[in-house]
Structure formats: C-alpha cells, structure tokens
Amino acid sequence: MAFLLFLPGEISGLVGSRFAVYEIRMAKSATIFAASQQPLSLALLVLPHCSILEVASTLDPLRSANRHLGTEAYRWRVVSPDGGPVPLTCGIELPSSGALATAEGADVLIVIAGYRQSEVTTKPLLRDLRRIAPRFRALGGIDAGGWVLARAGLLDGQRATVHWEDLEDFAATFPEIEVTPDRFTLSGRYFTAGGAAPAADLMLHLIRARHGPATALQVAASFVTTPRPGTEPQITATRPDPRLDARVARAIARMEARLDSPETAAETAAALGLSPRRLEQLFRENIGLSPAAHALGLRLQAARRLLTDTRHPLTEIALRTGFSSAATLTRAFTRKFGAPPSQFRKTR
C-alpha cells in the first residue's frame, strides 16, 4: 500500500524545485523503534576527529544483538565524507565503504562526529546530506553528529541533544531546536545521543524496542553494563564517581552547574548543610584537593576546552568560566598550564 506525501520542509535543498512529491510505502515510514522481525540496515557517516569509542558504542551492541538473536537482524556499513579512511582521535584510521552516496539503500543514517566538527562539516557535505536525508526512515546524530544534522537544517522544530560540554553553544546557535541535557532523544524520525556511553544506551533502547527487553538485557550483560534511560541527564549520569562521599559528589555537581557564576566554598558548604571546615575535610579525604582548588580546576578545564573547540574571544571565555576579565583568566590559566591562553590556542 502506498500514498503520496507532500514534504515542503524537506526539499529546500533541491535546486529549482518549489515542491516535491515523495512516494512512501507504509512499511518504509514506520518508526524503527517498534517491534519488528525485519532486518534493519544502517549507514554510519563517520567524520574525522571523532572517537573510536563512539563508533564502537554504536555498532557493537548491534553485533552482539545479532549473536544473541542468531540472525542478522542488523546490518551496517561505514561511509565517510570523501569515501576514504577516516582519521580518529586515537590516531588510527577507520576504513569506509565509500562516500555518502553509498549510504543510499540503508534504512537509517547515523552521523558520528566529535572534535572540529565545524571544520569537517563542509558546505558540499551539508548539501549532500540535505539531498539524501529524505531517503532514510530515520536519521541520527552521535555526539557532535547533532551539530551536523542541525547545520544541514534537519533538526528544526525537533528535540535534540549533543555532548553536555556543548549544550549551551548548541542551544544558542540553533534556537529553533528544543535542546535538552538528556543522554539521548527521540523526535519524530530523528534521534541524537550525547556521546559514546549514551550511544550505547540508545542502541540498547533500539534493540529493546525491536526485539524485547530480554535481548536488550543479554546485550547489556555482554558488555557488563546497565542500560540507562534516555531522559537521564548526561552530567549527573557520568558524574559523580560512586566511590565519592555523596556530599562531595553533590558539591562537585553544584560547581559544574555554576562555572560561569561560581560560589564560594562557604556558600557551597551552607547549601549542603555543612560547615566550611567539614566540607574542606571531605574534599581532602576524597580527592586530595580543597573545594576552592577543585572548583578552579573545573573552570580552567572548561576554559581550555573552549579555547580548543571554539572561536569565542577570550573575554567571552573568561565570562563563561567565571573569571572577571580576560586578564584574570590569563593569569590563572598560565599558572595552571604553563602558557597563556593566546599561545595555547595558537599551538592547538
């Protein structure tokens, strides 16, 4: 059974067309997150400078599901922007089966991206992505893959997430997207995950939806892990270390949430119902630093990431990491890393 569907919002990239008509079969338009015994084929568009863990977290749960099911329920291919091997952050190259055009025929296209996504997401790639997008039942983005889909205009009006370090920039850049801090999101025919571990949770969710909870639990057990729900926030899921005292963990969570407007150690202690001296003692016992030193370290690490991953001016980076001026940041940064921010950014 087939029907005709007008999709004006999805054809903006088709040159010379005011509208287009797509013939979509009922089976083709069904969500991939539903019980099905039909094989699901996926194409992974892997961009340079992403993590091998993100690729593995996406593919290995599917491989394991095939093993437990005793059938090829999931099939996949890896493609790249130019059809060649993809350099990953660990220094190895991931082979690909061809350029983006070779992804056609798959049910799902998943974009996996990491560092320097603004550099590797070229205009030709975005053009090709817009052109090919309507041909898939579903599209996904892992880590900075959400940025790529958004730059292509595919996530307008959708709910999406990216890695927690980039959520603020992502929301500011794409106000038309409903940005959430969730581990992963499902929105219409689009899905996004905030990093490697959330990608594994997303794949376990897919396996559970298609083949039931028993299979998903078997796959999770194979990797000695426990699935986390997509609605769980990234930052509280990856932190705190369960070996930490719960009060220290809560204090660290407050520090991470207030990088741009840090509170004093006394204010943190009061918020947790502790004396400043007791909080100091707990931090020394658990992480070997004072609360103030740990909070400063978090802010400087955030500043270093912004220097490496963005083009924001130093004054803005200072304000976003809780420093009163670029000069104040420069002094603290130089003491911590042995070089001023300007030199650090230049060498990176």
Side-chain angles (χ1 to χ4, degrees):
M1 176 179 180
F3 62 96
L4 297 180
L5 177 65
F6 288 86
L7 295 175
E10 291 186 337
I11 62 175
S12 59
L14 298 178
V15 178
S17 296
R18 295 180 59 189
F19 64 88
V21 180
Y22 295 95
E23 184 183 49
I24 300 180
R25 300 196 176 274
M26 293 294 286
K28 189 73 173 176
S29 64
T31 175
I32 64 169
F33 294 92
S36 176
Q37 297 304 311
Q38 295 298 314
L40 188 71
S41 60
L42 305 95
L44 274 64
L45 173 61
V46 181
L47 271 61
H49 313 302
C50 77
S51 163
I52 192 173
L53 189 57
E54 292 164 350
V55 179
S57 295
T58 304
L59 289 184
D60 262 348
L62 305 181
R63 174 200 57 77
S64 181
N66 285 349
R67 171 174 169 264
H68 287 290
L69 291 167
T71 185
E72 196 177 37
Y74 300 95
R75 304 165 183 166
W76 55 85
R77 71 193 79 157
V78 173
V79 302
S80 65
D82 61 2
V86 185
L88 304 178
T89 53
C90 61
I92 70 171
E93 291 189 335
L94 180 71
S96 77
S97 59
L100 179 57
T102 62
E104 290 195 41
D107 298 306
V108 185
L109 177 65
I110 302 178
V111 182
I112 303 180
Y115 294 105
R116 297 162 61 180
Q117 54 80 22
S118 61
E119 174 185 321
V120 299
T121 309
T122 62
K123 289 183 179 179
L125 179 63
L126 294 177
R127 179 199 62 217
D128 292 344
L129 188 57
R130 282 191 292 269
R131 176 187 57 80
I132 203 174
R135 304 179 188 185
F136 300 97
R137 291 171 57 187
L139 290 97
I142 305 298
D143 197 330
W147 281 90
V148 180
L149 295 178
R151 290 184 188 279
L154 298 172
L155 293 181
D156 291 0
Q158 303 295 331
R159 192 166 180 264
T161 193
V162 292
H163 192 278
W164 65 269
E165 291 180 331
D166 297 324
L167 283 170
E168 183 179 351
D169 277 344
F170 188 69
T173 305
F174 304 105
E176 63 278 9
I177 297 173
E178 181 187 347
V179 180
T180 82
D182 296 355
R183 290 178 71 77
F184 65 84
T185 64
L186 308 179
S187 183
R189 60 194 286 261
Y190 299 95
F191 56 88
T192 53
D201 293 329
L202 173 62
M203 294 300 107
L204 289 170
H205 180 75
L206 175 66
I207 294 164
R208 180 187 179 94
R210 295 181 69 83
H211 296 100
T215 301
L217 288 173
Q218 287 176 324
V219 172
S222 296
F223 297 103
V224 197
T225 189
T226 301
R228 294 181 182 272
T231 53
E232 187 173 290
Q234 295 176 37
I235 190 66
T236 54
T238 56
R239 317 269 200 245
D241 188 322
R243 294 167 294 183
L244 291 178
D245 183 285
R247 293 162 293 185
V248 173
R250 289 199 301 272
I252 291 174
R254 289 184 65 86
M255 294 171 183
E256 291 173 330
R258 293 166 173 78
L259 294 178
D260 59 342
S261 54
E263 58 188 11
T264 65
E267 290 170 334
T268 302
L272 299 177
L274 300 171
S275 69
R277 182 176 180 179
R278 180 56 176 153
L279 183 65
E280 174 96 15
Q281 180 184 24
L282 288 171
F283 263 75
R284 295 286 184 186
E285 291 172 352
N286 280 261
I287 61 176
L289 293 171
S290 69
H294 186 71
L296 177 61
L298 291 174
R299 291 160 56 206
L300 288 171
Q301 291 291 348
R304 184 169 70 167
R305 179 186 62 80
L306 288 169
L307 285 165
T308 302
D309 299 346
T310 76
R311 298 180 182 275
H312 298 323
L314 187 58
T315 300
E316 181 179 344
I317 293 175
L319 293 176
R320 291 177 63 165
T321 52
F323 294 92
S324 58
S325 67
T328 305
L329 169 59
T330 296
R331 287 193 294 270
F333 193 96
T334 304
R335 284 195 298 269
K336 173 73 173 178
F337 299 113
S342 57
Q343 181 180 336
F344 181 87
R345 170 172 271 178
K346 184 177 180 180
T347 58
R348 296 303 186 279

